[in-house]
Amino acid sequence: MKISFVVPTRNSARTLDACLASLRGQTHADVEVLVVDNGSTDGTVEIAGRHADQVLQWGPERSAQRNHGTHRSTGDVVVFIDSDMVLEPHVAASIDERFTAEPGTGALIIPERSFGVGFLARCRELEKLLYVGDPAVESPRAYRRELIERIGGWNEDLTAAEDWDLADRTRPVATIGRVPAWIWHDEGQIRLRATFAKKRYYGRWIDQYVRMNADTSGSKFARTALLRQPTRLLRHPVLTAGLATLKLTEAAGLAFGIRDSRVTAGARTP
């Protein structure tokens, strides 16, 4: 089957070359690569042009970019990849094998690990390992075309928690499987100030997602996998302390973002 990779970008020059090279290096023969850019001002478009079958311009945010890439793609399967991810070379082949062997499966999870520079990146590596296999955290990335079109694609009103929203709409109507190959997420060098700012920006959409899914969203934010594996955490006390600092910073950013969202909404209410 033909597999289309859709990659939304915006000023992704630092990581994009490695990402797209990993897509072009897949062992599966029939692969299509689409990059959907959103007005990059660095070298993103030039890098994309060296690797992609199509380089498109679309916005305003990544959910809309992914939907546009789906519309313009031609594969039997659509796989959504972030521009800071590197795929192992047999990911596409594993997707083909799973969908062929399991005709009743509509979407597939590709498990993720991470790498980066510095202490906080090592803390994130530990966190990602704890999440592998946790249904409250993992979301599918590979979809049969008929399924992603039937459920309406990505919610363009969300720029955070949009992967959870898509998974929420997928589970009631389709079986979700998983592949044995890995995605490696390039964290770069994590800085607490930038982490706080990023989560504050996302907080406005997190608030919207929580309001839409009041009955189910709590388990996702609790991140219970971090508490269910105390032995693994105790083996790495220094990394665990750093991870706690990182998660508290993220929680503070989200709290401020949610507050900002509600203040703005209140100001608009007559």
Side-chain angles (χ1 to χ4, degrees), residues 3 5 26 77 79 81 87-88 90-100 102 105 107-112 132-133 138-143 176-183:
I3 297 178
F5 288 104
Q26 293 295 301
V77 173
V79 187
I81 301 298
L87 276 63
E88 293 185 336
H90 52 293
V91 167
S94 296
I95 291 170
D96 189 359
E97 290 167 6
R98 281 288 187 269
F99 276 142
T100 300
E102 303 168 7
T105 295
L108 294 169
I109 291 167
I110 310 171
E112 294 181 27
V132 174
E138 291 185 321
S139 299
R141 288 188 175 274
Y143 281 80
I176 299 175
R178 62 190 300 119
V179 300
W182 292 87
I183 286 173

Side-chain angles (χ1 to χ4, degrees), residues 6 8 62-71 80 82 154 162:
V6 174
R62 61 195 182 202
S63 292
Q65 291 172 267
R66 290 166 179 150
N67 285 340
H68 186 63
T70 300
H71 176 70
F80 302 100
D82 296 341
W154 297 79
E162 77 281 5

